[in-house]
Amino acid sequence: MTTSNETTPRRKIGGAFILLAVGATALLAAATSCQATIPNRDPLGEQFPQVIGTSLTGEPVPLPPSEPAILLLGYVQDTQFDADRWLIGLLQATPTAMILEVPAVNGLFPSLIADTIDSGMRSGIPKEDWSSVVTIYGDSASEIVEFTGNENPRNVRVVLLDSNGTVRWFHDRGFSAGKLLELGGASSKVTDQ
């Protein structure tokens, strides 16, 4: 039989662990939500920033790629819902351009825990799709955020690049079936060049 004196130290340790976990969660939320809001802008006709990301397979991936590509840029975790709708539509439309999902997380704290964030993404994405998810952190992520703006951060930024890295089509107002059809047409023109 356990006495109350024997359980007191365990309760204190358990309580301290819970306080530590709650504090770490609050710190993470504060660190990732304090990012400055940058006004949205349309980068049509401009060169995409040259950065190096890392696929979830661990391989370095230069952006922009040297072939036509559709980038789904996300700046917060809540962007995934919008990104998933675009992905489903794009995969059904079978565009000829490559599709990359690009979580770009700026800020010092996320850069420090990038491995943990990537590991969390790997646990929710099938291994065969890891190469099409390219994460970018720190200054490189900041460059991308400044390139498109981050107002309404839950909306994915859909960017069609030609083989030279020039933006040929852009949308940042949430999934739209009409815009998906428009993107399909623009993608065909870019890949036929």
Side-chain angles (χ1 to χ4, degrees):
M1 179 170 201
T2 306
T3 66
S4 63
N5 288 340
E6 291 175 5
T7 61
T8 302
R10 288 185 186 152
R11 286 187 185 150
K12 286 182 180 177
I13 292 172
F17 179 75
I18 290 170
L19 285 174
L20 180 62
V22 169
T25 302
L27 179 62
L28 176 61
T32 58
S33 66
C34 292
Q35 300 171 9
T37 300
I38 298 168
N40 288 350
R41 59 183 299 276
D42 184 348
L44 195 62
E46 297 178 27
Q47 289 292 124
F48 192 82
Q50 292 187 354
V51 297
I52 303 287
T54 305
S55 73
L56 291 184
T57 61
E59 298 297 317
V61 178
L63 292 179
S66 59
E67 62 185 281
I70 298 169
L71 306 182
L72 301 176
L73 305 174
Y75 303 139
V76 296
Q77 184 177 1
D78 290 345
T79 305
Q80 192 61 52
F81 178 74
D82 195 33
D84 288 345
R85 292 185 299 173
W86 280 101
L87 279 171
I88 291 167
L90 285 167
L91 293 174
Q92 290 176 347
T94 61
T96 51
M98 80 163 43
I99 303 169
L100 295 175
E101 190 173 352
V102 183
V105 187
N106 64 347
L108 175 62
F109 188 72
S111 297
L112 296 174
I113 61 168
D115 291 338
T116 303
I117 295 170
D118 287 353
S119 178
M121 282 190 262
R122 279 187 212 98
S123 70
I125 297 172
K127 191 171 186 174
E128 60 269 19
D129 292 338
W130 288 0
S131 62
S132 63
V133 178
V134 178
T135 58
I136 300 179
Y137 295 95
D139 291 340
S140 294
S142 295
E143 281 185 62
I144 293 173
V145 170
E146 289 174 14
F147 187 68
T148 67
N150 64 356
E151 292 175 323
N152 303 318
R154 291 181 179 165
N155 293 347
V156 74
R157 274 60 177 164
V158 184
V159 180
L160 171 64
L161 300 175
D162 64 18
S163 57
N164 296 316
T166 302
V167 177
R168 296 297 175 198
W169 190 90
F170 178 78
H171 182 73
D172 65 354
R173 295 186 317 272
F175 178 77
S176 160
K179 290 293 182 181
L180 176 64
L181 293 173
E182 185 181 300
L183 173 57
S187 174
S188 294
K189 289 177 186 173
V190 166
T191 55
D192 288 343
Q193 295 176 348

